[in-house]
Amino acid sequence: MAPQNLGTFCLLLLYLIGTVIAGRDFYKILGVPRSASIKDIKKAYRKLALQLHPDRNPDDPRAQEKFQDLGAAYEVLSDSEKRKQYDTYGEEGLKDGHQSSHGDIFSHFFGDFGFMFGGTPRQQDRNIPRGSDIIVDLEVTLEEVYAGNFVEVVRNKPVARQAPGKRKCNCRQEMRTTQLGPGRFQMTQEVVCDECPNVKLVNEERTLEVEIEPGVRDGMEYPFIGEGEPHVDGEPGDLRFRIKVVKHSIFERRGDDLYTNVTISLVESLVGFDMDITHLDGHKVHISRDKITRPGAKLWKKGEGLPNFDNNNIKGSLIITFDVDFPKEQLSEEAREGIKQLLKQRSVQKVYNGLQGY
Amino acid sequence: MWSAGRGRAAGPALLGVLLALSLPGGRAAKTDAGLVTCGSVLKLLNTQHRVRLHSHDIKYGSGSGQQSVTGVEASDDANSYWRIRGGTEGGCPRGSPVRCGQAVRLTHVLTGKNLHTHHFRSPLSNNQEVSAFGEDGEGDDLDLWTVRCSGQHWEREAAVRFQHVGTSVFLSVTGEQYGSPIRGQHEVHGMASASAHNKWKAMEGIFIKPSPEAPGGHDEL
């Protein structure tokens, strides 16, 4: 047995050394486990791309290299075919070279003309005319708010491209003075244009990745710079996705807390019960009662709400309100006597103003 | 990853290949990627008259006096974007491909009003007036249009018709043009019979890809 173990150990060691020599560890670059889902990979890329962009790290001499590695890692691991090849043979085993430049991958997540550093808008140069912005409402379920998600979108847009010839641009009204005779002048209005290189509008398509971050709030916007409508004399506007959280049949959201209602039978309310609530990602929240549960009773389950947008590790609470299902049929004389005996509760007939807190 | 010149025949094929390469598990997704899905925002081109369905904050001077709907020649006007949504009962979750025969609402993105028609005469051709109605995407039952196409789902490359659920007319353009203040814009109206005047094709837009878990994501009987 010992030589066999040694043999497999040696093989394993050789394999590991082989993979290390064979190229970059894309999983390590993205910071994800080998079993990561495509969603995890996209999320990791998006977060790291913002951090590692060379424009953001002007003092780091290796910034460009790290950024390229990140792009290569995403390109391979986000494609199921390439990922399979990479998992088996390492980077050396990848058949084709890189299909697209890293710039392309980056713009799938952030748009065309650069990106925003943590939310500050790009410089608004008043002199350059801009095309219209487009705001698209993106419907999002509570399940997606809980776990996060990526929505793939195809953007087909008109793009201004160079064309042969010239065109008129910057047309404006100007006053011209013409001399009619000695001492007599006439002022007329004339339309005067400049000459610009000709452009035509051509439809182009690309895929964009919109991230639904866990804990995202209604109305939050995800911009893609330069993906709005074009302007023939200037820059294109932006495309913004506005989150719209849709109603859920079981949970109601209030901030980071979730509210739900449970109907229990009269018997359960008196003698206790055990039950599970299935949460948004499928995990079960267990409820166990052995005391009497009054109608309107609330149960707080800390940590079972939604993740906080700014810190996903903090979760809100799940608040469960119970209501009691009373028997529908009238009780027989026997049953009524039986209940009186069992409960031994004296008649209470308290009259009071419930609406004013008396 | 650009695919320029959608008019060329190679375009859609190349796009299909590119999309297949860029998606995980690309094979099934290649055919789905060319479908129009709920929640998508798009411009519609009338294939006969080459104008895009358009609306703006200008009301009809006659008929119902509601916000007007016209056809424009420009391809870069943000006022030509419409959002595809289901009826008020739901049944059109984000990313689910629109089926041929499904009733949808088209909400004008910039004004929040729905494509709408009713028993009023259109100003230029005396057909049925088509307007934009409602507030914030909510109007009434006359906002529903059935997507008429061949096959199972509305494909982006296909020319489809929109037939009004309430009055059975088809969304059409026959070439009449307005004067000032919307000079050059074409009249959009409802007509009783299907013809070449009521075919529309999805053009520019933001198309949500069919989501893998969406119930309508694959052909089902």
Side-chain angles (χ1 to χ4, degrees):
Chain A
M1 192 143 69
Q4 219 177 32
N5 272 356
L6 191 62
T8 47
F9 176 74
C10 281
L11 273 171
L12 195 63
L13 193 60
L14 271 171
Y15 177 74
L16 282 173
I17 295 172
T19 52
V20 166
I21 297 173
R24 299 169 279 189
D25 183 348
F26 288 152
Y27 289 97
K28 188 143 161 259
I29 290 173
L30 280 169
V32 296
R34 292 190 84 88
S35 56
S37 68
I38 183 70
K39 196 174 94 180
D40 293 335
I41 289 172
K42 286 182 183 179
K43 195 179 162 68
Y45 172 80
R46 194 169 177 269
K47 193 170 106 190
L48 286 170
L50 274 174
Q51 285 173 14
L52 295 180
H53 195 279
D55 288 356
R56 223 175 176 205
N57 298 287
D59 303 324
D60 185 349
R62 288 195 56 226
Q64 188 64 30
E65 188 194 330
K66 285 188 202 163
F67 194 61
Q68 301 279 30
D69 284 347
L70 183 67
Y74 177 76
E75 198 198 327
V76 168
L77 295 186
S78 64
D79 178 311
S80 63
E81 286 295 315
K82 289 190 191 167
R83 186 177 179 180
K84 256 190 279 217
Q85 280 174 23
Y86 175 79
D87 286 346
T88 324
Y89 303 111
E91 196 183 344
E92 302 296 299
L94 290 172
K95 293 216 190 87
D96 306 304
H98 297 299
Q99 306 277 53
S100 47
S101 73
H102 190 186
D104 270 347
I105 298 176
F106 188 78
S107 61
H108 283 214
F109 288 82
F110 300 101
D112 235 341
F113 282 74
F115 59 102
M116 316 219 302
F117 285 109
T120 53
R122 70 185 159 132
Q123 296 280 34
Q124 295 278 10
D125 189 342
R126 296 285 158 207
N127 293 326
I128 299 180
R130 230 170 126 236
S132 314
D133 287 343
I134 308 170
I135 302 181
V136 174
D137 282 338
L138 194 67
E139 282 184 349
V140 154
T141 61
L142 269 185
E143 283 82 356
E144 290 176 312
V145 174
Y146 187 79
N149 200 0
F150 272 89
V151 182
E152 278 187 296
V153 146
V154 174
R155 171 67 173 128
N156 179 305
K157 63 179 182 185
V159 176
R161 289 278 174 237
Q162 298 279 352
K166 296 265 183 227
R167 66 182 171 103
K168 291 193 188 320
C169 62
N170 297 333
C171 292
R172 56 202 178 271
Q173 303 264 14
E174 275 187 0
M175 299 297 286
R176 281 281 152 87
T177 314
T178 44
Q179 190 167 31
L180 294 177
R184 283 170 63 216
F185 296 90
Q186 186 180 55
M187 300 260 308
T188 47
Q189 241 186 7
E190 237 178 60
V191 175
V192 165
C193 298
D194 290 339
E195 242 186 21
C196 290
N198 199 8
V199 291
K200 62 176 165 113
L201 291 174
V202 172
N203 280 5
E204 293 185 358
E205 252 185 44
R206 68 163 6 145
T207 303
L208 300 174
E209 300 272 353
V210 191
E211 181 174 12
I212 300 170
E213 290 172 290
V216 68
R217 293 176 211 125
D218 211 57
M220 277 184 161
E221 287 185 1
Y222 285 86
F224 284 77
I225 309 294
E227 292 293 339
E229 285 302 86
H231 195 294
V232 286
D233 290 323
E235 285 184 347
D238 300 332
L239 171 63
R240 302 210 294 271
F241 289 92
R242 184 161 54 193
I243 302 290
K244 281 245 141 50
V245 185
V246 297
K247 281 194 301 200
H248 197 275
S249 58
I250 296 185
F251 296 104
E252 174 73 9
R253 176 191 197 172
R254 297 231 182 118
D256 292 340
D257 293 332
L258 288 173
Y259 284 75
T260 191
N261 298 69
V262 174
T263 307
I264 51 176
S265 71
L266 181 58
V267 171
E268 285 172 321
S269 75
L270 291 170
V271 309
F273 59 94
D274 264 292
M275 69 174 286
D276 281 329
I277 295 181
T278 308
H279 210 289
L280 294 165
D281 66 345
H283 83 270
K284 305 260 193 265
V285 178
H286 187 68
I287 301 172
S288 187
R289 292 282 300 166
D290 57 357
K291 298 206 193 51
I292 294 179
T293 310
R294 292 165 41 237
K298 287 184 172 31
L299 193 60
W300 283 70
K301 288 277 184 186
K302 294 197 70 166
E304 289 292 358
L306 292 171
N308 179 280
F309 180 74
D310 299 305
N311 180 352
N312 287 170
N313 294 320
I314 302 176
K315 288 201 171 69
S317 308
L318 171 65
I319 296 108
I320 306 158
T321 306
F322 292 95
D323 54 272
V324 178
D325 203 20
F326 274 62
K328 307 238 179 348
E329 284 122 24
Q330 290 306 320
L331 299 168
S332 62
E333 269 308 313
E334 256 185 74
R336 289 183 201 209
E337 276 310 309
I339 286 174
K340 279 191 203 163
Q341 291 303 317
L342 267 175
L343 289 176
K344 294 193 187 41
Q345 197 187 17
R346 281 207 338 261
S347 172
V348 178
Q349 288 174 357
K350 180 178 163 202
V351 187
Y352 65 105
N353 182 353
L355 294 169
Q356 292 293 347
Y358 282 98
Chain B
M1 292 244 200
W2 293 105
S3 171
R6 67 172 163 85
R8 286 186 241 139
L14 181 64
L15 186 65
V17 171
L18 279 175
L19 282 169
L21 283 176
S22 70
L23 287 170
R27 234 165 293 257
K30 183 156 65 165
T31 47
D32 286 354
L35 302 179
V36 177
T37 57
C38 295
S40 296
V41 165
L42 46 68
K43 293 185 182 169
L44 288 167
L45 178 78
N46 183 290
T47 51
Q48 179 84 338
H49 298 272
R50 315 306 294 177
V51 291
R52 283 167 174 75
L53 190 68
H54 175 97
S55 188
H56 38 215
D57 194 9
I58 297 173
K59 297 186 170 21
Y60 281 118
S62 61
S64 67
Q66 290 174 9
Q67 184 169 301
S68 58
V69 171
T70 62
V72 298
E73 287 171 5
S75 66
D76 60 347
D77 192 335
N79 257 325
S80 307
Y81 279 114
W82 299 82
R83 184 145 167 261
I84 305 295
R85 300 159 68 207
T88 44
E89 11 48 66
C92 197
R94 184 198 82 213
S96 63
V98 176
R99 295 181 311 278
C100 293
Q102 183 173 355
V104 297
R105 289 182 290 178
L106 288 97
T107 305
H108 185 240
V109 172
L110 286 183
T111 59
K113 291 184 168 23
N114 296 331
L115 190 70
H116 180 96
T117 187
H118 40 205
H119 291 302
F120 283 93
R121 299 286 94 205
S122 64
L124 302 179
S125 67
N126 223 30
N127 282 302
Q128 190 166 293
E129 181 197 88
V130 167
S131 65
F133 174 77
E135 206 64 41
D136 240 349
E138 296 309 312
D140 66 15
D141 297 334
L142 293 177
D143 298 342
L144 283 168
W145 298 81
T146 307
V147 179
R148 295 282 183 220
C149 46
S150 49
Q152 288 258 339
H153 294 108
W154 176 5
E155 289 169 36
R156 282 175 56 198
E157 292 299 315
V160 305
R161 293 193 171 87
F162 294 95
Q163 185 172 26
H164 191 235
V165 171
T167 60
S168 302
V169 298
F170 290 92
L171 188 70
S172 316
V173 175
T174 43
E176 303 82 9
Q177 291 183 37
Y178 291 101
S180 195
I182 47 175
R183 186 171 299 283
Q185 295 189 17
H186 292 235
E187 186 191 81
V188 169
H189 47 244
M191 290 174 73
S193 40
S195 67
H197 297 292
N198 32 58
K199 298 197 92 170
W200 300 83
K201 182 163 177 283
M203 298 295 285
E204 302 80 14
I206 295 100
F207 297 92
I208 298 179
K209 284 199 186 156
S211 32
E213 326 82 48
H218 297 277
D219 290 352
E220 283 174 43
L221 285 169

